[in-house]
Amino acid sequence: MVFIKAATAAALLSTLASAAPTATTPQYPQQTSSESFTLIANVTSGDLSPSVQNWSVTSYHTGAGTAYAVLQADTPRIFYANGTAQDLAFNGGTVLSDEGTPATIPAAIVLGGGDSVTDSISINDGKGTAGVGITRGPDPIAIFYAAGGAGFYACEETFAPGAAKSVMLFQKHDVTPAGCADVVLLPQCSAGSGAVHANPALSGCYADVAGIDWSMYYSS
Ligand SMILES: *[C@@H]1O[C@H](CO)[C@@H](O)[C@H](O)[C@H]1NC(C)=O
Ligand SMILES: *[C@@H]1O[C@H](CO)[C@@H](O)[C@H](O)[C@H]1NC(C)=O
Ligand SMILES: *[C@@H]1O[C@H](CO)[C@@H](O)[C@H](O)[C@H]1NC(C)=O
């Protein structure tokens, strides 16, 4: 009996050993999917002071239906991917958010052109920039992407005289300006705003972005 148990244990161990990943197998954090998500900053280089690690994308309103996309420690804005299956499969989707009371007016992520404050990323009423979204399979990591860019960075800026300093977001095209932080924006699964969307799409997302221990996973 003891012998059989030991043999079974040995067989089990060898099964586990053969199933265990080798050092060269990349591992990725577990994602699920959701229609709604928030966007959480993961600083990959040159953090700001105070740190913007785990801050979330929200709106800094500058007028009726216009806002800058900024990072804040709390009050994340809820987003969702919009587009037909074809739009999403061919990088033609947009990323929207509901506004108004009740929250039914679509505001969309709008990319800026260059690196000046006025070219920062906005969240404005309307259709938004096509070609932004959450990366989809076979990409093993779900992140916010914009076609034609080299990622994103965040800078502390005062965008108008007398305005409070805020951490504004920019699409990176070339280099990150000195004093700014490279950030990856990761989708965190969220409850919806309550609005019903015409083109519901699922996006990959993480249950708890801040809880991901990147040292256990691939390094880029
Ligand atoms: C998140 O940041 C950590 C630390 O900079 C980095 O190792 C990891 O690759 C980042 N994750 C992504 C998806 O970029
Ligand atoms: C990340 O930010 C959220 C607030 O948006 C907070 O509840 C949570 O404790 C933070 N986690 C870490 C590890 O900083
Ligand atoms: C959402 O996507 C659909 C399908 O492409 C499009 O007809 C609609 O105008 C989009 N909604 C907004 C607010 O951009």
Side-chain angles (χ1 to χ4, degrees):
M1 210 50 188
V2 168
F3 170 74
I4 290 167
K5 270 189 183 159
T8 310
L12 185 62
L13 276 175
S14 86
T15 307
L16 284 176
S18 61
T22 62
T24 54
T25 306
Q27 297 288 298
Y28 301 101
Q30 175 75 44
Q31 51 170 287
T32 53
S33 61
S34 164
E35 186 174 331
S36 299
F37 53 86
T38 58
L39 290 171
I40 311 293
N42 184 47
V43 177
T44 53
S45 142
D47 203 356
L48 305 181
S49 178
S51 171
V52 296
Q53 178 69 14
N54 186 40
W55 284 23
S56 50
V57 178
T58 192
S59 315
Y60 190 128
H61 282 276
T62 52
T66 59
Y68 286 122
V70 299
L71 291 178
Q72 273 182 7
D74 44 29
T75 63
R77 192 158 176 147
I78 299 169
F79 296 97
Y80 63 98
N82 184 66
T84 61
Q86 178 132 343
D87 292 336
L88 297 171
F90 294 97
N91 282 348
T94 56
V95 172
L96 304 182
S97 184
D98 302 307
E99 350 198 71
T101 313
T104 49
I105 303 166
I109 292 185
V110 179
L111 299 178
D115 293 346
S116 76
V117 167
T118 51
D119 286 329
S120 76
I121 299 174
S122 301
I123 301 171
N124 298 337
D125 286 4
K127 286 192 171 293
T129 303
V132 302
I134 302 300
T135 48
R136 313 176 82 76
D139 204 312
I141 304 237
I143 60 169
F144 175 72
Y145 77 91
F152 303 94
Y153 62 84
C155 310
E156 195 176 61
E157 304 266 6
T158 306
F159 58 77
K165 278 192 172 179
S166 44
V167 177
M168 306 186 72
L169 283 168
F170 300 85
Q171 186 181 18
K172 183 169 171 174
H173 293 288
D174 187 8
V175 291
T176 298
C180 299
D182 282 318
V183 292
V184 172
L185 302 170
L186 291 143
Q188 180 159 300
C189 313
S190 167
S193 68
V196 176
H197 302 138
N199 301 279
L202 290 178
S203 296
C205 57
Y206 300 99
D208 176 23
V209 167
I212 299 172
D213 175 2
W214 292 101
S215 69
M216 286 172 55
Y217 299 108
Y218 87 116
S219 60
S220 59

